[in-house]
Amino acid sequence: ATKTTYSFKAGAVNLSVSFLSPLLLNDLEVAARPVSYVTFSSRALDGQPHDVQVFMGVSGSISTNLPTQEVLTQNGKSSSLQWASVGTKEQPLLKKKGDDLRIDWGYAYLAVPKTTKAQLTNGVLSDLKKSFVENQAAMSAVSSGMASDIAISAVVDFEKVEKIAKVRHLLLAYDDGYSVQYFGQNLRPWWNRTGKVSAEQLLDLAAKEYDSVQSKCNDFDNIIESEARKVGGAEYADLCKLAYRQTIAAHKIVAKPNGELLFFSKENFSNGSIGTVDVTYPSAPLFLAYNIELMKGMLRPIFDYSESGQWTKPFPAHDVGTYPLANGQTYPEDMPVEEGGNMLLLTAAVVAAEGKADFAKQHWNTLSVWVKYLEKDGFDPANQLCTDDFAGHLARNANLSIKAILGIAAYGQLAQKLGDATTGKKYLDLARDMATRWQTMADVGDHFALTFDKGNTWSQKYNLVWDKLLNLNIFPASVAEKEIKYYLKIQQKYGLPLDSRKTYTKSDWILWTAVLTKSPADFQTLVYPVWKFANETQPRTPLTDWHETPDAKRVGFTARSVVGGYFMKVLEEKLRGK
């Protein structure tokens, strides 16, 4: 989950290269450090000694939005490391917002322990590589130039390598100074929330803890592997490992001035929104399972927005801006039922996972406004978008209606946990009445329809999973059983389509839908085609959550956090033990 390892062979020498990002959800301080480790292990395959050197270059483009931006490099030493850095000359701190953009402020670092025989050089990338390949003396250092031309680099000397492997490592880090603007105030990253930690100090600490972090990551990788395999099998565990780092990396951990943690998502490859509620919703299972504080950190900006009086509508905002500027919703259209149901359900999930209702109590007035909206307009939704907005507007959406019904039920459950039995009963009874009506209106024989007014249709009812996980017991078990039986008949080679309109799917929703199954065999029958897609799809891009089920082709969306939804089965097991 935290590491990718490649193996190379050159003549009689083997080189193993491990890229480790210690995104440890059981150790927030380590997870928040913007430091990764690259570990090289080299050994001779023929038992004879061989001279081995490794070159690693880091392009100046790592610190720019465009390859044509001018960058400056610098070298330095700390108590335990030698390092080189690269960053733009301009340093436009939090000046740009959008989707297809890269950070162009702050500095990237490449660091080598002083105990390692290595040479750090900054210069023209093509010259650096040429001098290494031709075994020449290092080229003269060049400290500035166009990003695509310039690199910081290290040549690590293993000297004589024989049968027993020699191991060396480097550190890669990024200091952005300030990460996010939050309603007009620039916020520091969590690791430097005091403003008193320098990049050198960060690197020294990460270097000092190299061995312990490697051990922690190995242990945590085993936890992710074993817990996923236990509840879902080997293929399911593969998908969880594949989704893990991508999910976390599409976020930023920052500190509010009052010390509260905020965990901002970026809506990658769709519109660049920051803190999107219907991106938080599908990604939530990973964080509900392994770090509740990060889950709260995703919900707080939406609560803050409403409770500040800046957002006055009776349902939650879709987002709080466009990354990295969280100054208020920028998405052009609201998703009232979608976001209202999401926030109520996720708050109930936080309370269930944490085992206490404090978080709901803190925001009870806001939740009470939102549930009244769902009570009025949630059951038979008007023509509006839901989280699957790429599929277009839809009126009378049966799956969206489930979300509203269960959101109302979640509020009733929360009221009971807060000691208000009367309010709890009112909303749970209301939800059960709605669920009874829903079954009549959506029933089309051997399954339930996409919308209340279109009989010869179907859709994944993935929102139904919360009825099971939160023990709401609003819908009879026969609803899920009928749906699953139908899904198993119509799924394609690479997964179950999203609904009857198209052959494409959302893999995160398939893994939610699979949790509705009653047998491990049925669960794996729905999961295996998603594993097959991930294993066989051709594009060498980060994992997409939107693909065609007949041929595994990517439709759109890559590197998004929503694949944290793959952990829904793991979450089910953890909530069962609460």
Side-chain angles (χ1 to χ4, degrees):
T2 63
K3 179 169 62 178
T4 299
T5 301
Y6 293 84
S7 184
F8 302 97
K9 184 179 177 184
V13 174
N14 178 266
L15 178 69
S16 175
V17 187
S18 167
F19 297 87
L20 183 139
S21 290
L23 297 172
L24 293 166
L25 290 184
N26 61 354
D27 190 333
L28 184 60
E29 296 305 317
V30 173
R33 287 180 200 160
V35 183
S36 294
Y37 303 94
V38 184
T39 300
F40 306 98
S41 176
S42 184
R43 63 185 178 88
L45 301 174
D46 59 0
Q48 301 300 311
H50 297 273
D51 290 317
V52 173
Q53 290 182 322
V54 171
F55 169 88
M56 180 161 176
V58 179
S59 169
S61 299
I62 199 170
S63 61
T64 68
N65 176 41
L66 299 173
T68 53
Q69 287 178 270
E70 185 175 0
V71 295
L72 304 176
T73 66
Q74 188 177 352
N75 291 74
K77 294 181 180 179
S78 67
S79 59
S80 63
L81 301 162
Q82 55 174 324
W83 54 262
S85 69
V86 61
T88 58
K89 180 180 180 181
E90 182 187 5
Q91 288 296 305
L93 176 68
L94 293 165
K95 294 296 184 185
K96 300 181 180 72
K97 65 177 183 177
D99 184 14
D100 190 13
L101 296 174
R102 286 137 296 279
I103 190 170
D104 59 359
W105 72 91
Y107 298 89
Y109 287 81
L110 174 63
V112 186
K114 285 182 177 178
T115 53
T116 298
K117 187 176 180 181
Q119 181 178 16
L120 283 173
T121 308
N122 312 335
V124 177
L125 179 58
S126 57
D127 290 343
L128 293 172
K129 289 200 286 190
K130 181 180 178 183
S131 66
F132 173 75
V133 170
E134 296 179 358
N135 200 26
Q136 299 172 347
M139 305 292 292
S140 299
V142 176
S143 61
S144 65
M146 195 164 68
S148 58
D149 295 335
I150 299 296
I152 52 178
S153 70
V155 175
V156 181
D157 195 346
F158 285 71
E159 300 177 291
K160 298 291 184 185
V161 168
E162 299 186 53
K163 185 176 182 180
I164 297 175
K166 284 188 175 181
V167 180
R168 305 286 185 267
H169 69 270
L170 306 173
L171 290 80
L172 284 171
Y174 206 102
D175 178 13
D176 58 4
Y178 288 90
S179 305
V180 166
Q181 188 175 97
Y182 192 54
F183 296 103
Q185 185 166 5
N186 293 347
L187 301 184
R188 295 183 184 277
W190 184 258
W191 67 270
N192 190 23
R193 54 195 179 275
T194 65
K196 298 177 181 178
V197 183
S198 68
E200 282 190 4
Q201 290 170 321
L202 172 73
L203 285 164
D204 274 337
L205 177 61
K208 178 183 177 182
E209 296 185 357
Y210 172 80
D211 289 332
S212 65
V213 168
Q214 297 284 321
S215 178
K216 285 180 180 180
C217 286
N218 285 337
D219 291 344
F220 191 72
D221 289 344
N222 288 335
I223 290 171
I224 295 293
E225 163 90 31
S226 61
E227 291 188 348
R229 184 181 286 263
K230 177 185 174 184
V231 298
E235 289 81 11
Y236 175 65
D238 283 347
L239 288 170
C240 288
K241 289 183 288 184
L242 182 62
Y244 182 82
R245 265 174 289 163
Q246 175 172 311
T247 303
I248 304 168
H251 295 81
K252 186 70 179 187
I253 312 174
V254 300
K256 286 170 63 176
N258 67 0
E260 275 190 326
L261 178 148
L262 299 176
F263 191 46
F264 284 109
S265 64
K266 177 176 180 290
E267 194 171 337
N268 294 333
F269 283 87
S270 47
N271 68 357
S273 290
I274 185 170
T276 303
V277 178
D278 57 285
V279 168
T280 294
Y281 180 70
S283 70
L286 173 60
F287 304 106
L288 287 165
Y290 292 106
N291 194 302
I292 301 297
E293 191 58 33
L294 292 179
M295 185 70 249
K296 292 179 188 176
M298 284 195 278
L299 302 179
R300 284 187 184 118
I302 300 298
F303 281 121
D304 283 355
Y305 195 13
S306 284
E307 291 161 8
S308 70
Q310 295 181 67
W311 179 262
T312 58
K313 297 177 182 180
F315 47 80
H318 167 271
D319 59 79
V320 289
T322 302
Y323 201 95
L325 306 183
N327 296 321
Q329 179 172 310
T330 51
Y331 196 70
E333 185 172 349
D334 297 330
M335 298 186 191
V337 176
E338 173 69 37
E339 313 306 14
N342 290 343
M343 289 298 292
L344 285 159
L345 285 165
L346 291 176
T347 301
V350 166
V351 168
E354 202 168 27
K356 57 183 179 180
D358 295 10
F359 189 69
K361 184 177 182 180
Q362 183 181 352
H363 302 290
W364 192 246
N365 290 340
T366 307
L367 294 167
S368 298
V369 171
W370 293 341
V371 78
K372 285 182 173 62
Y373 176 81
L374 292 184
E375 184 180 358
K376 176 176 173 284
D377 291 328
F379 173 72
D380 194 351
N383 189 38
Q384 60 187 264
L385 294 173
C386 71
T387 184
D388 304 315
D389 53 357
F390 53 86
H393 291 73
L394 199 62
R396 316 197 73 190
N397 183 335
N399 187 46
L400 188 58
S401 177
I402 291 174
K403 180 171 289 182
I405 294 167
L406 295 180
I408 289 167
Y411 180 85
Q413 184 185 72
L414 289 170
Q416 287 186 333
K417 290 181 178 181
L418 287 168
D420 187 347
T422 301
T423 300
K425 183 177 186 304
K426 172 188 171 182
Y427 282 97
L428 286 165
D429 286 350
L430 174 63
R432 291 192 180 98
D433 288 345
M434 288 180 169
T436 300
R437 290 165 56 203
W438 185 95
Q439 291 170 73
T440 301
M441 293 170 65
D443 196 354
V444 286
D446 63 349
H447 67 280
F448 295 95
L450 169 66
T451 65
F452 290 139
D453 56 354
K454 294 177 182 172
N456 191 26
T457 59
W458 62 270
S459 64
Q460 288 190 47
K461 306 302 189 296
Y462 53 80
N463 288 319
L464 196 58
V465 73
W466 293 111
D467 200 22
K468 183 178 183 182
L469 263 69
L470 297 176
N471 290 316
L472 296 169
N473 301 312
I474 302 300
F475 288 83
S478 58
V479 172
E481 290 168 6
K482 184 156 72 170
E483 285 288 280
I484 291 297
K485 186 176 181 180
Y486 186 75
Y487 299 154
L488 292 172
K489 291 191 297 185
I490 61 171
Q491 74 168 346
Q492 303 294 305
K493 181 178 180 181
Y494 293 104
L496 175 66
L498 180 65
D499 58 48
S500 51
R501 290 174 290 180
K502 301 281 187 178
T503 56
Y504 60 56
T505 195
K506 289 283 270 81
S507 56
D508 47 335
W509 297 144
I510 292 178
L511 269 72
W512 285 37
T513 296
V515 177
L516 296 171
T517 58
K518 294 184 71 174
S519 73
D522 285 348
F523 176 82
Q524 289 168 355
T525 299
L526 287 169
V527 168
Y528 181 77
V530 180
W531 179 89
K532 188 175 175 66
F533 146 74
N535 197 46
E536 295 180 8
T537 189
Q538 293 304 305
R540 295 285 291 171
T541 63
L543 181 63
T544 179
D545 52 286
W546 186 16
H547 73 270
E548 282 287 353
T549 57
D551 58 17
K553 288 184 179 178
R554 169 185 171 272
V555 180
F557 299 164
T558 60
R560 301 212 310 162
S561 64
V562 301
V563 294
Y566 288 10
F567 284 82
M568 185 59 89
K569 188 68 174 175
V570 173
L571 177 61
E572 179 193 26
E573 181 70 14
K574 288 183 178 290
L575 289 180
R576 183 178 287 131
K578 294 292 183 181

